[in-house]
Amino acid sequence: MQRSMGTALALVGLCLGTDAASPNLGVRLEPDAHADPLIRTSPAAAAPERPHAEDVVDYRLTARLDPDAHTVHGEGRIVWRNMSRQPVQDLWLHLYLNAFKNDQSVFLRERVGGRGSTRPSDWGSVDVRRLALASPDGAEVDLLPAMQTRGGDDGADETDAHVALPRKIATGESIELAVAFDDKLPSVVERTGYVGSFHMVAQWFPKIARLEPDGTWAHFPMHHLAEFYADFGTYDVTLDVPEAFTIGATGPVVEARVAGGRRIERHVQSDVHDFAWTAWDRWRALHETIAGVRVTVLFPPGHEHVAARDLAAVRFALPYEASRYGAYPYDVLTVVHPEDNAREAGGMEYPTLITAEGPWWTPDDVLAPEIVTVHELGHQWFYGLVATNEAAWPFLDEGLNQYAEADAMAAWKGPGSAANVFGLRVSDAALQAVASQRGVHDGPVAQSASAFSSGAKYGQLVYARTAAVLETLARVYGIEATLGEYARRFRFEHPTPDDLLAVVAENLGPGVAATLRTALFDKGWVDYAVDGVWSRRAESPAGLFDRDGRRETQTATDQGHYEGGATVHRRGTLSFPVDIELVLDDGSRQRVRWSGEEAETRIPWQGSVGLRAVRVDPDDRVVIDANLENNAAQINPPSGPAPRVLERLALVAQAALQWLGP
Amino acid sequence: MVGALVPSVRARAIALLWACQGILALVAAWPAATMVRAAFGGDPDGEAILFRPGGHALLMFLAREADGVQGALAGATVVLVVGAAASILPTGMLLFSLEGSLNARTPSSLKATVAPAVRSFTALAVLFVGFGLAQALVLGVGAFVAPLVANLTERGAGEARSQEIAAVAVAVLALGAGYLAILHDVACAALARRHRTALAALAASLATFQAHPFLLAWAWAWRGALSWGPLVAITFAPRLGERRGAIAFVLLVFLHQAAVLVRIALRASWLTVAIRTVGATVRAVHDEPLARAPL
């Protein structure tokens, strides 16, 4: 799910032009040192990829939409296998749509900011009408009386249902459930619902929670900030909508017909853990085959241009992400771009179906639609294929995917990967880096979604902080291939933070893994600072000296060279090796490497030219550096206003005066 | 002798207005530029770090110094609002220099425009504030009407088309704001033609626009559109600001200020048309009924 780009883009709306990279004055200037290091070229590791998921749960459902009443009637059968090491005698079902049933749900009570914080104008619910355990002999045991839907602290929440089974289900044994349910869709809220005849149908069916290998159920009520977690399986869903409606859904269409004024499509997809669909009588469509995948973009009338931008984003990102994190294993991908008045349905990911967002008039130089599309596409890996527990460890999907998004955008659009306005290029990674500084001391990144105090903190830590930390590790150590290996190794699996850290330790060493752990679990931070720089002509010793019983007065004489130095500090709980750049009086530059492990280092200088200034991390590799304003020091810093900033701002002020004045 | 001097007076009036605006702009921009120096003065590349591709340092600066930036922005806003009001005087001097150049009479020097500009200050201020409020009202109505129109038409037309319809409604209101801008300028021109009060100038402006709507609208519109051209071109030129070094900086300053001067010159040109038209349309006699005159 994509969080808003927030105020960062607004901040850069200042009419500041760009200035240049540094001049090539250094004696050891790195090649293209000021080029944005986000432009990646390193290949991902080619680890073997698991071809299919373990098939745990299969849904065969039919769903009939009444677009006037905004209801869906569903029924069908669910086959579930106990793949844990323990026999179980109960089931947990997620009834997510009940999050919008009333304002006593956990979801609506928690409203801590961000999407879904406005109470829906029309409530939504899912009512299970039938739940029966089928026996091999054809008989059925009605489980509905045993279903308890009251959850949450006071039992008012109905999103997490417990079902007692009449017998134990052994390891490896399958059961078949017959289900029927009625959905009342809410006015669009938090990924699902309707606006007029537009319907986004997500979290819409009784969904079996994931049973962990140790026999514990990973179930939870639907929290405001949390997303989902489920087992892989096959979804065989037949959708029935009015003939005038166009359908977009998870998986390819295997059967389609029109009968009795109804459009009926059967979608079947294996190796996935959710199913979502949309139906609208105004959808327009773009189709293109990209890297062997049939891509469809569904968009409203008048949104042709932004839909083409969505498609262009997929055209770049689909093969790019596949090269990074493993092949996209499905035949289809559907991008749903809702109107802006249904944006709560936008910016979301489901298997083979993602929702984009952005007004039709979004300027081309503001890449918000591209960013959202690339982000949601990235979730096909970090959520879809690497199916982590989004409620327990949201950084594993949102955080890693936010990094993947910034990485892909940089590879596609360079340093202007978020915006390119007034000649000023702003990168997606820079936005993450800045946002990541907020809230870093308020709580750890690695905690459950429901533990975050606000949507803002959740966004800053789960999304931005994780992305910025990984960006730093990428620039300092080159973590890209390691993430690729993690994604391949845990393809169709449900890894935990320890699995990620183990892969990092294995590939980059325990020190890097420890750094990552501190950053994620212990509010790790770092600030490099140049605290002093000095330079002077070297002179011989001067003063009074007692030699051979006599006191001599010795005057200083010029030694014909300069001496000087600088003190550089590292504050915080994280450390990274950094370059320290010495700028000499003749404009030349030299670099020394510092491990960054100590809290302080002193850099001595001696040479024929005096030392003018010192800068730490000149290539901006440690993007989580808490303060960039103390990264350099000069012996004689200039005074007065910054001339170029003054000139640009004065120009803006002149234009404003001419507009405001008589 | 006077004829040779008159263009020079007009040029000097233009230069004066440019200088006034330039000084006010520098005052408005100074605190923010000083903040940048304080933040990055230690960097060997100075403020250049702010403009590195990617914008990391710039965004960090804006985030870290948000309070200071907000303060600088508030201060700049005050300077600009007060400055806009204060620039009534140099604008008045420009008007009287233009009027003099058209009639080859007074003033014979820039100094001579001060007295009539000061005399007309109150009337110019009344017109400035009055028309400013009227334009704000029109634009406020636009801000209210646009979402209303969009909402009313969305169900049938869809979001994109309904917003286009709303944009048309806003454009119509923007035309109204443009009409008010023309009336304001022509009223100022009428003051320069010795209509002594704001009310008389407004009456003269209305009569002039009624007599020559297309001439005035066209003269105002093409100069207005053209005057934004150089500024927009320079502002959006993607690589122009990336050149480093003193010469590149001086060249950039020159280009920027040339664009600003062109804007003032085009405005002066438009005001000349307004003065000429109002002069040819109504008699400039205080407290006498308006009378049409051949253009």
Side-chain angles (χ1 to χ4, degrees):
Chain A
M1 186 172 65
Q2 171 73 28
R3 293 282 151 184
S4 165
M5 290 174 71
T7 56
L9 274 178
L11 290 174
V12 299
L14 295 173
C15 184
L16 296 170
T18 56
D19 207 326
S22 298
N24 289 324
L25 300 174
V27 293
R28 231 200 81 202
L29 194 64
E30 298 287 318
D32 196 15
H34 286 171
D36 195 309
L38 289 171
I39 303 170
R40 313 280 193 219
T41 53
S42 63
E49 294 172 10
R50 179 196 287 252
H52 294 288
E54 192 172 57
D55 202 353
V56 178
V57 58
D58 298 332
Y59 294 82
R60 181 178 294 170
L61 301 173
T62 60
R64 181 181 172 88
L65 173 70
D66 179 340
D68 298 321
H70 312 297
T71 58
V72 174
H73 174 74
E75 57 186 57
R77 302 184 86 79
I78 305 171
V79 175
W80 176 80
R81 298 166 191 82
N82 178 4
M83 304 300 286
S84 79
R85 297 185 295 270
Q86 302 292 330
V88 294
Q89 199 169 350
D90 60 355
L91 287 175
W92 285 87
L93 291 174
H94 289 302
L95 305 175
Y96 291 125
L97 213 50
N98 282 337
F100 316 110
K101 187 173 182 179
N102 54 54
D103 61 8
Q104 294 305 298
S105 68
V106 168
F107 180 91
L108 286 174
R109 280 185 183 188
E110 281 181 350
R111 286 183 277 168
V112 290
R115 178 155 65 175
S117 292
T118 306
R119 195 159 70 176
S121 58
D122 189 13
W123 302 108
S125 62
V126 50
D127 292 309
V128 181
R129 306 293 186 197
R130 182 182 182 217
L131 183 65
L133 179 63
S135 298
D137 59 3
E140 288 188 348
V141 179
D142 186 4
L143 299 178
L144 212 48
M147 189 171 83
Q148 298 289 327
T149 58
R150 296 287 167 179
D153 292 340
D154 58 2
D157 186 87
E158 299 178 50
T159 60
D160 191 21
H162 179 258
V163 181
L165 296 175
R167 61 181 175 84
K168 284 191 174 179
I169 311 301
T171 297
E173 184 184 352
S174 297
I175 59 171
E176 185 170 340
L177 302 170
V179 296
F181 55 94
D182 286 303
D183 294 335
K184 166 67 182 70
L185 297 173
S187 55
V188 70
V189 56
E190 190 75 1
R191 316 175 185 102
T192 191
Y194 73 90
V195 175
S197 58
F198 162 82
H199 292 81
M200 184 69 219
V201 190
Q203 295 90 51
W204 58 285
F205 58 94
K207 188 174 181 185
I208 297 182
R210 170 169 158 73
L211 185 64
E212 298 286 11
D214 64 359
T216 58
W217 287 96
H219 70 95
F220 39 80
M222 185 169 172
H223 288 282
H224 185 84
L225 296 172
E227 293 183 288
F228 314 108
Y229 187 39
D231 274 309
F232 287 95
T234 298
Y235 286 75
D236 180 343
V237 182
T238 301
L239 302 169
D240 178 349
V241 302
E243 182 182 353
F245 280 59
T246 300
I247 295 171
T250 295
V253 181
V254 297
E255 287 178 38
R257 66 181 190 280
V258 173
R262 305 287 296 183
R263 178 180 306 281
I264 296 159
E265 285 185 8
R266 183 176 167 217
H267 293 250
V268 180
Q269 183 64 64
S270 299
D271 301 329
V272 294
H273 48 74
D274 202 355
F275 187 100
W277 54 290
T278 180
W280 197 26
D281 52 0
R282 287 186 173 171
W283 282 131
R284 305 285 186 270
L286 287 173
H287 302 280
E288 185 173 318
T289 298
I290 298 169
V293 178
R294 298 196 306 280
V295 178
T296 301
V297 180
L298 296 176
F299 61 94
H303 288 60
E304 288 78 5
H305 184 64
V306 75
R309 291 171 62 179
D310 293 340
L311 189 59
V314 174
R315 199 177 296 131
F316 174 81
L318 186 58
Y320 182 81
E321 303 286 33
S323 72
R324 280 281 200 233
Y325 308 115
Y328 180 80
Y330 312 113
D331 294 333
V332 295
L333 174 73
T334 300
V335 181
V336 178
H337 194 123
E339 287 186 329
D340 209 39
N341 62 14
R343 60 180 167 274
E344 288 247 338
M348 185 55 196
E349 68 281 2
Y350 302 99
T352 82
L353 185 148
I354 60 175
T355 63
E357 68 179 34
W360 59 274
W361 44 262
T362 308
D364 283 353
D365 289 337
V366 176
L367 301 177
E370 286 84 354
I371 285 175
V372 173
T373 301
V374 169
H375 181 95
E376 307 312 337
L377 179 62
H379 274 305
Q380 295 301 308
W381 284 266
F382 297 110
Y383 147 81
L385 296 171
V386 184
T388 51
N389 185 335
E390 295 183 288
W393 305 109
F395 83 92
L396 282 178
D397 62 298
E398 294 297 355
L400 267 65
N401 186 49
Q402 191 82 348
Y403 164 77
E405 163 209 304
D407 172 52
M409 287 301 298
W412 185 24
K413 296 290 185 179
S417 58
N420 193 346
V421 289
F422 302 116
L424 188 68
R425 288 175 286 174
V426 175
S427 72
D428 193 0
L431 292 176
Q432 310 307 328
V434 174
S436 82
Q437 297 296 344
R438 300 184 174 206
V440 64
H441 302 299
D442 297 338
V445 170
Q447 55 181 329
S448 70
S450 59
F452 287 90
S453 60
S454 72
K457 283 281 174 285
Y458 180 75
Q460 290 155 10
L461 293 172
V462 168
Y463 286 70
R465 189 66 182 174
T466 309
V469 166
L470 292 174
E471 181 62 40
T472 297
L473 294 178
R475 294 188 187 196
V476 175
Y477 300 111
I479 200 173
E480 301 92 324
T482 300
L483 290 178
E485 180 167 342
Y486 162 76
R488 286 175 171 84
R489 188 181 297 181
F490 293 99
R491 186 182 179 87
F492 296 125
E493 297 265 1
H494 308 274
T496 63
D498 284 341
D499 294 320
L500 172 66
L501 292 168
V503 175
V504 172
E506 192 179 305
N507 283 268
L508 298 172
V512 178
T515 297
L516 181 57
R517 179 179 285 280
T518 303
L520 296 174
F521 284 85
D522 298 324
K523 301 186 280 188
W525 66 285
V526 69
D527 175 26
Y528 288 97
V530 179
D531 282 339
V533 55
W534 62 279
S535 179
R536 66 184 174 210
R537 296 285 295 180
E539 293 180 334
S540 63
L544 303 175
F545 295 90
D546 296 323
R547 292 192 183 107
D548 302 328
R550 291 170 47 203
R551 175 159 295 182
E552 293 178 356
T553 302
Q554 194 168 318
T555 56
T557 56
D558 192 333
Q559 299 294 294
H561 65 274
Y562 288 85
E563 60 185 8
T567 306
V568 181
H569 279 103
R570 177 187 59 78
R571 300 164 185 141
T573 54
L574 301 175
S575 68
F576 302 93
V578 287
D579 284 337
I580 296 170
E581 187 174 66
L582 310 179
V583 182
L584 308 182
D585 281 336
D586 64 356
S588 62
R589 299 172 187 228
Q590 297 185 14
R591 289 188 180 188
V592 295
R593 189 80 166 158
W594 177 36
S595 70
E597 289 171 3
E598 310 83 20
E600 176 187 294
T601 187
R602 296 181 185 189
I603 310 295
W605 164 250
Q606 196 172 65
S608 58
V609 181
L611 186 61
R612 179 162 70 84
V614 170
R615 177 160 56 189
V616 65
D617 192 24
D619 295 336
D620 196 23
R621 296 188 189 280
V622 184
V623 298
I624 56 170
D625 190 331
N627 183 2
L628 300 182
E629 295 172 20
N630 60 13
N631 279 23
Q634 287 196 67
I635 290 174
N636 294 307
S639 59
R644 284 179 182 255
V645 170
L646 181 67
E647 196 274 332
R648 305 294 166 80
L649 293 181
L651 179 66
V652 174
Q654 280 175 302
L657 271 174
Q658 292 183 343
W659 183 70
L660 283 173
Chain B
M1 182 64 191
V2 170
L5 195 62
V6 167
S8 171
V9 172
R10 183 170 56 180
R12 276 186 282 164
I14 289 173
L16 178 70
L17 186 57
W18 168 76
C20 287
Q21 290 181 345
I23 290 167
L24 285 165
L26 285 173
V27 171
W30 197 273
T34 306
M35 280 179 59
V36 169
R37 176 71 92 191
F40 294 107
D43 195 282
D45 294 327
E47 59 189 326
I49 189 174
L50 284 182
F51 306 123
R52 277 186 179 184
H56 183 204
L58 175 62
L59 294 178
M60 282 287 282
F61 170 76
L62 292 173
R64 279 186 62 84
E65 312 293 345
D67 291 342
V69 170
Q70 276 188 332
L73 197 60
T77 304
V78 171
V79 169
L80 292 178
V81 170
V82 173
S87 59
I88 289 172
L89 190 62
T91 302
M93 292 170 68
L94 175 64
L95 278 166
F96 283 99
S97 73
L98 296 172
E99 199 274 342
S101 71
L102 279 177
N103 293 288
R105 53 183 191 194
T106 57
S108 58
S109 70
L110 186 60
K111 196 175 175 182
T113 65
V114 175
V118 169
R119 274 198 304 273
S120 301
F121 186 88
T122 305
L124 283 168
V126 167
L127 289 174
F128 173 57
V129 173
F131 275 98
L133 289 175
Q135 284 181 310
L137 184 67
V138 168
L139 295 175
V141 168
F144 174 75
V145 164
L148 202 66
V149 169
N151 286 340
L152 284 173
T153 54
E154 186 175 320
R155 193 169 181 83
E159 186 173 84
R161 186 53 54 92
S162 71
Q163 290 177 355
E164 286 171 349
I165 294 167
V168 170
V170 169
V172 170
L173 288 166
L175 283 179
Y179 168 67
L180 289 172
I182 294 170
L183 282 187
H184 168 264
D185 288 350
V186 177
C188 291
L191 283 172
R193 294 292 297 182
R194 305 300 189 267
H195 293 272
R196 299 285 168 81
T197 67
L199 203 58
L202 176 61
S205 173
L206 287 166
T208 304
F209 191 85
Q210 193 177 359
H212 306 290
F214 297 112
L215 184 151
L216 289 172
W218 172 243
W220 176 82
W222 78 256
R223 287 174 177 85
L226 192 64
S227 71
W228 283 104
L231 205 58
V232 170
I234 288 171
T235 305
F236 282 87
R239 299 282 181 241
L240 195 60
E242 294 190 0
R243 308 274 179 206
R244 298 193 77 243
I247 293 174
F249 178 59
V250 169
L251 181 64
L252 196 66
V253 172
F254 177 79
L255 286 173
H256 282 167
Q257 293 310 308
V260 172
L261 266 172
V262 165
R263 282 177 54 78
I264 298 175
L266 282 166
R267 178 153 176 79
S269 169
W270 148 242
L271 289 173
T272 303
V273 173
I275 292 169
R276 185 186 298 130
T277 309
V278 78
T281 308
V282 294
R283 280 206 294 153
V285 180
H286 182 52
D287 290 336
E288 287 187 7
L290 296 172
R292 289 180 183 281
L295 185 62

